[in-house]
Amino acid sequence: MDMIVHSSLSSLGPVDGGAATVVNSLLRAVGATGTVVVPTFTPNVADRDPEHVGVPDEGVRERRDAVPTFHCTMPSSMGAVAEALRSLPGTVRSSHPQASVAAIGARAGQIVAGQPLGFALGRDSPLERLYDLRGAILLIGVGHNRNSFLHHAEALTPRPRLTLRRFPMITHRQRIWCETVDVADDKDTYFPLVGRDFERRFGIREAIVGRAGCRLFHARPFVDFAVQRLSEFLVSEREFEPDRENG
């Protein structure tokens, strides 16, 4: 199996060996022909003054100069299990400055081979490759508000909610600032509802490991369902907006 894992180590309760034990267990579970993927996002690689336009003053320049440039060994803020996997010898990582993933296993290189700067988890992303490989999604002690495949699904909807990413990059030996459009943060609005509806429709059952509730399901039916359900939510939201504006 090739699968992406979203996890909370603390949700499991005491674990001998901590995050390393969890990662080793996952690798044993998928076996030599499988792959384990984790999100290794780096939200710290971002403009500290996103609302500023035009030529920056000295204060803005100083704050922007302090923003680190992404590199493949940069720590992630996605939790202890993701960090333990990222740090393993043999792990490979995609190159997006803010929304990278790390993978280890048989198809790790294939999964992380390329990633667009805009719509980083959408088409032609590592998540689409997992979808094409008929991979799986494992949630360990977390909800669908932590399920990155919902960002992938929203990117496939006709009218996704949008945000602007801005981050530094090195190109032609120069550090430049890149600006691109991507799917916005759901802020726990629709993602938990879509996840709940999917689990009910497909009979997904929770298993308890340690103290953590865990759910394992295939990415392909999940994405197909989520694209349709999110599209319905987003259409309803936009239909409601004029009435809300008129009181």
Side-chain angles (χ1 to χ4, degrees), residues 162-226:
L162 301 177
T163 190
L164 193 67
R165 290 188 185 272
R166 187 183 289 127
F167 43 78
M169 292 184 62
I170 301 295
T171 180
H172 301 294
R173 300 183 181 179
Q174 296 184 74
R175 177 175 154 115
I176 64 168
W177 281 87
C178 180
E179 191 173 85
T180 185
V181 175
D182 210 328
V183 172
D185 188 351
D186 179 68
K187 297 181 180 178
D188 294 351
T189 304
Y190 298 128
F191 287 4
L193 300 178
V194 173
R196 178 204 64 192
D197 291 349
F198 171 79
E199 291 183 9
R200 288 176 177 174
R201 176 76 62 84
F202 288 83
I204 304 301
R205 296 182 179 180
E206 182 180 74
I208 303 300
V209 179
R211 298 174 183 170
C214 304
R215 280 101 76 209
L216 176 67
F217 45 93
H218 290 288
R220 185 169 288 233
F222 178 78
V223 170
D224 295 346
F225 177 88

Side-chain angles (χ1 to χ4, degrees), residues 65-109:
D65 288 345
V67 176
T69 305
F70 175 80
H71 52 85
C72 65
T73 59
M74 175 177 283
S76 167
S77 60
M78 299 305 291
V81 173
E83 268 295 277
L85 186 141
R86 181 197 65 78
S87 303
L88 281 178
T91 295
V92 290
R93 190 177 187 181
S94 64
S95 59
H96 196 281
Q98 291 181 346
S100 66
V101 302
I104 187 168
R107 278 168 286 279

Side-chain angles (χ1 to χ4, degrees), residues 7-204:
S7 61
S8 165
L9 178 64
S10 62
S11 72
L12 290 162
V15 178
D16 290 342
T21 296
V22 178
V23 170
N24 290 333
S25 298
L26 293 169
L27 293 175
R28 286 198 300 272
V30 301
T33 60
T35 312
V36 180
V37 184
V38 292
T40 50
F41 303 162
T42 46
N44 57 311
V45 182
D47 189 1
R48 302 290 188 267
D49 296 89
E51 304 303 322
H52 181 85
V53 296
V55 178
D57 59 29
E58 183 177 354
V60 172
R61 288 199 304 271
E62 288 179 355
R63 288 188 292 274
R64 287 178 175 171
D65 288 345
V67 176
T69 305
F70 175 80
H71 52 85
C72 65
T73 59
M74 175 177 283
S76 167
S77 60
M78 299 305 291
V81 173
E83 268 295 277
L85 186 141
R86 181 197 65 78
S87 303
L88 281 178
T91 295
V92 290
R93 190 177 187 181
S94 64
S95 59
H96 196 281
Q98 291 181 346
S100 66
V101 302
I104 187 168
R107 278 168 286 279
Q110 176 185 348
I111 289 167
V112 307
Q115 188 170 12
L117 292 176
F119 294 97
L121 301 178
R123 299 185 190 279
D124 300 321
S125 74
L127 298 196
E128 183 174 73
R129 293 185 199 103
L130 272 170
Y131 176 94
D132 291 341
L133 288 167
R134 298 184 180 276
I137 302 165
L138 175 62
L139 305 179
I140 302 175
V142 298
H144 286 277
N145 59 339
R146 295 274 300 276
N147 183 354
S148 298
F149 255 104
L150 281 162
H151 293 293
H152 176 72
E154 184 162 355
L156 304 180
T157 63
R159 297 179 66 186
R161 295 163 292 178
L162 301 177
T163 190
L164 193 67
R165 290 188 185 272
R166 187 183 289 127
F167 43 78
M169 292 184 62
I170 301 295
T171 180
H172 301 294
R173 300 183 181 179
Q174 296 184 74
R175 177 175 154 115
I176 64 168
W177 281 87
C178 180
E179 191 173 85
T180 185
V181 175
D182 210 328
V183 172
D185 188 351
D186 179 68
K187 297 181 180 178
D188 294 351
T189 304
Y190 298 128
F191 287 4
L193 300 178
V194 173
R196 178 204 64 192
D197 291 349
F198 171 79
E199 291 183 9
R200 288 176 177 174
R201 176 76 62 84
F202 288 83
I204 304 301

